[in-house]
């Protein structure tokens, strides 16, 4: 069962103002998205972020016609942070922020917010533009690149989230002071 897609406003063009951030998708958490711990399962956060990305792609002109012409975007990296529990029936809205665009790549974020305004999850994605006929990375087609640049320019005024590029790791343990040493007695 697919989540409801919500596309707000027309596809971006030279006469359209660009919201910063873009809010093109929202969803209500379905019971089948809830796991054995009673909250939205991690794969469902990726699902709603993917739906938000798809709404964004349509917004800039990367749609079924674009893909049938042999071009698409492929996600090469995603980092999701789960911040608060979300349960069945919770209403979620997603905000999309384009951080950067170049000839072949898009770097963007998603913020998933509950109805009460609490930030439930964040996602960071890097996407590559691909010539699907040749099976390799290729430059973004000019009309879509122009639209992406307009969005990136509108989003340049947004603060850069401090969680971008976060490295996930368990820190190495430090040395344990010896019993009776100055470090041992001062702690």
């Amino acid at each position: 069962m697919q989540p409801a897609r919500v596309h707000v406003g027309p596809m971006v063009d030279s006469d359209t103002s660009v919201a910063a951030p873009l809010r093109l998708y929202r969803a209500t958490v379905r019971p089948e998205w809830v796991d054995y711990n009673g909250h939205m399962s991690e794969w469902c956060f990726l699902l709603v972020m993917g739906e938000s990305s798809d709404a964004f792609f349509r917004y800039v002109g990367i749609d079924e016609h674009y893909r049938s012409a042999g071009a698409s975007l492929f996600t090469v990296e995603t980092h999701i942070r789960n911040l608060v529990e979300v349960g069945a029936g919770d209403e979620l809205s997603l905000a999309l922020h384009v951080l950067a665009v170049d000839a072949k790549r898009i770097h963007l974020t998603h913020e998933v917010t509950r109805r009460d305004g609490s930030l439930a999850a964040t996602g960071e994605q890097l996407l590559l533009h691909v010539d699907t006929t040749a099976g390799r990375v290729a430059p973004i087609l000019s009309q879509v690149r122009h639209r992406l640049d307009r969005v990136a320019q509108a989003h340049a005024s947004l603060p850069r989230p401090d969680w971008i590029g976060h490295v996930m790791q368990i820190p190495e343990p430090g040395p344990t002071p010896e019993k009776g040493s100055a470090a041992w007695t001062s702690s």
Side-chain angles (χ1 to χ4, degrees):
M1 190 185 287
Q2 291 288 325
R5 296 178 183 191
V6 178
H7 183 246
V8 180
M11 182 170 57
V12 68
D13 59 29
S14 57
D15 297 330
T16 308
S17 65
V18 177
L22 289 168
R23 298 180 189 282
L24 303 173
Y25 180 76
R26 63 180 178 264
T28 301
V29 178
R30 298 171 185 265
E32 60 268 24
W33 294 357
V34 175
D35 66 15
Y36 45 80
N37 291 316
H39 56 251
M40 187 164 145
S41 190
E42 62 192 54
W43 66 269
C44 298
F45 282 105
L46 182 58
L47 174 70
V48 296
M49 289 178 196
E51 291 291 332
S52 177
S53 291
D54 284 346
F56 170 66
F57 300 158
R58 289 188 300 277
Y59 180 74
V60 295
I62 301 172
D63 55 12
E64 291 73 20
H65 177 70
Y66 190 87
R67 287 188 300 280
S68 69
S72 189
L73 289 170
F74 288 11
T75 301
V76 293
E77 188 169 345
T78 301
H79 185 158
I80 297 174
R81 297 181 321 142
N82 300 302
L83 304 173
V84 299
E85 291 184 5
V86 174
D90 282 348
E91 294 177 22
L92 306 175
S93 65
L94 282 86
L96 186 143
H97 175 179
V98 174
L99 297 168
V101 174
D102 70 12
K104 300 176 183 178
R105 297 174 294 192
I106 303 169
H107 185 194
L108 58 83
T109 67
H110 300 276
E111 290 189 344
V112 181
T113 307
R114 296 188 322 184
R115 185 179 219 181
D116 66 6
S118 60
L119 186 59
T122 64
E124 177 183 8
Q125 291 184 292
L126 183 65
L127 303 118
L128 292 178
H129 189 264
V130 175
D131 176 333
T132 56
T133 333
R136 66 175 188 258
V137 176
I140 299 167
L141 302 180
S142 63
Q143 187 174 14
V144 168
R145 174 64 193 270
H146 174 73
R147 292 174 181 147
L148 287 166
D149 286 342
R150 288 198 63 241
V151 174
Q153 182 179 19
H155 290 191
S157 64
L158 293 171
R160 187 173 177 86
D162 62 357
W163 45 267
I164 296 303
H166 178 77
V167 176
M168 184 177 5
Q169 66 185 358
I170 297 174
E172 293 288 327
T176 305
E178 289 185 34
K179 189 172 184 177
S181 72
W184 174 269
T185 57
S186 63
S187 356

